[in-house]
Amino acid sequence: MEMFIKISQFILSLSILVVLHELGHFIPAKLFKTRVEKFYLFFDPWISLFKIKMGGTEYGIGWLPLGGYVKIAGMIDESMDKEQLKKPVQPWEFRAKPAWQRLIIMLGGVSVNLVLSVVIYWMISFVDGTTYLPNDSLKDGVWCQHEIALEIGFKNGDKLISVDGEEDQRFFRLLSQLHVGKTVEIERDGIRKTINLPIDLLGQISTSDMRGGLLSYRIPFFISQVVEGSGASKSGIQIKDKIVGLDGQPIKYFDEFKDGVKNRGGETVHVTVERDTELIELDITLSEEGIAGIAPAGLGLRELEKLGIYKLDAQQYGFFEAFPVGLNEAKETLGDYLNGLKQFANPDTGAYKGVGGIIAMLNIFPNDWDWLRFWRLTAFLSLMLAVMNLLPIPALDGGHVVFLIYEMITQRKPNEKFMEYAQLAGMVMILILMLFANGNDVIKMLP
């Protein structure tokens, strides 16, 4: 059922993005009296799941959910319809239109994606407002969730100050900058220090078994699971117990317990648990691997706020007040994505190892249906689709735009035979990128 929900969200999001993107090409084409022969959601090699012809355009749904397309008469596109191009130019064809009209048609899809993302972020800000975890709310610093963080030089309890000299009160904003930053300033035991981030940090993360983030806010150790037959289960510890002490020393967070039992395989540790309002002393014998057999509850920020551990900053906005907030979020998200692309373009970062395909996109959607998260992910994917389509690769919108700008500057159209070869080369490049991305997905699934 969880996989069905995940797939349903992915297909719905992709369908919205593809239909609106292609409408961005379709509408200006129609306005400029250009014939649109096909309008398809998903690709339809050999067969279509559904099709109907209206007003000279065939509308349909393909079976291959890798995107969609509009086939515009007289345009060299992925259909590689050379026969039509051999015929005399007709006034309703794409190639008969002025360069500025063709440019608007080609930029229509990207424009719609950009506008869509701003509108979604605007509506999210209006409906839900903004809620964030202030960085100064983490009085006891961060939790190093992954060994990579420790190897870089972080320690549990470090307080983040800035990344590359830029401070931000939003804790998660600082975390997002870590992946593309060069240095991070921290405070440890009242002393400020600078940690140099490795250039291949993204590569290390991509090839690791990381679940969750590099760093996170610290969480109390409420027991959510007790493994049958483990030392913890034999001690009498129960789900919902809260561990507040280890070997006579008070502890507040899960990471303190984790550090306290490290390299103590086979030993017996003494823990103090809080059950309702009572403190109970228990002894837990660790396995030879140092495992107690208990797992912490993954409490959300709102639950942690109710427990008095963190104080969130929340603000509501009116309809028009929410617009600049949504616009700013779209700008920041777009900037982060472009910074990420720069990392991928630099082989030294190893970021290319994290390139993913269909499975990676599917996995960003949660196992439960959360409309707020769904729309936030759709807004992000809309920005990603806009950027990817603007890449100056023949067969993508960006490739067509480059040729059109060349034509407008030189007042000469590129040779049609050259355009055919360029389109073919672009399709090969895209196919190679798709094989690489989806191959990465498969490799990550291997044991």
Side-chain angles (χ1 to χ4, degrees), residues 67-120:
Y69 69 96
V70 288
K71 186 177 186 304
I72 300 175
M75 176 180 170
I76 300 174
D77 58 13
E78 59 271 12
S79 68
M80 298 302 289
D81 187 355
K82 300 177 184 178
E83 293 305 314
Q84 186 183 56
L85 298 176
K86 292 178 182 177
K87 300 175 183 176
V89 178
Q90 300 298 320
W92 36 260
E93 288 185 330
F94 180 80
R95 56 182 171 162
K97 303 301 176 183
W100 67 269
Q101 290 186 2
R102 284 179 278 138
L103 183 63
I104 290 174
I105 292 171
M106 293 314 306
L107 288 174
V110 168
S111 301
V112 167
N113 285 131
L114 293 173
V115 170
L116 175 64
S117 66
V118 172
V119 170
I120 292 175

Side-chain angles (χ1 to χ4, degrees), residues 316-337:
Q316 295 297 129
Y317 304 95
F319 183 76
F320 294 106
E321 287 180 312
F323 176 73
V325 178
L327 178 62
N328 186 63
E329 183 165 3
K331 287 168 59 179
E332 285 189 343
T333 305
L334 179 59
D336 289 345
Y337 185 66

Side-chain angles (χ1 to χ4, degrees), residues 75-78 80 106 388-403 417-431 433:
M75 176 180 170
I76 300 174
D77 58 13
E78 59 271 12
M80 298 302 289
M106 293 314 306
M388 296 306 292
N389 268 281
L390 265 183
L391 292 177
I393 298 175
L396 292 178
D397 296 347
H400 289 284
V401 168
V402 168
F403 291 131
K417 184 60 67 175
F418 168 78
M419 292 289 287
E420 287 178 21
Y421 289 137
Q423 183 77 14
L424 183 60
M427 291 171 65
V428 171
M429 289 175 64
I430 293 170
L431 179 60
L433 286 172

Side-chain angles (χ1 to χ4, degrees), residues 302-315:
R302 295 190 187 278
E303 294 171 297
L304 293 171
E305 184 178 37
K306 290 177 183 178
L307 292 170
I309 295 175
Y310 300 115
K311 174 66 176 171
L312 303 181
D313 192 307
Q315 189 169 350

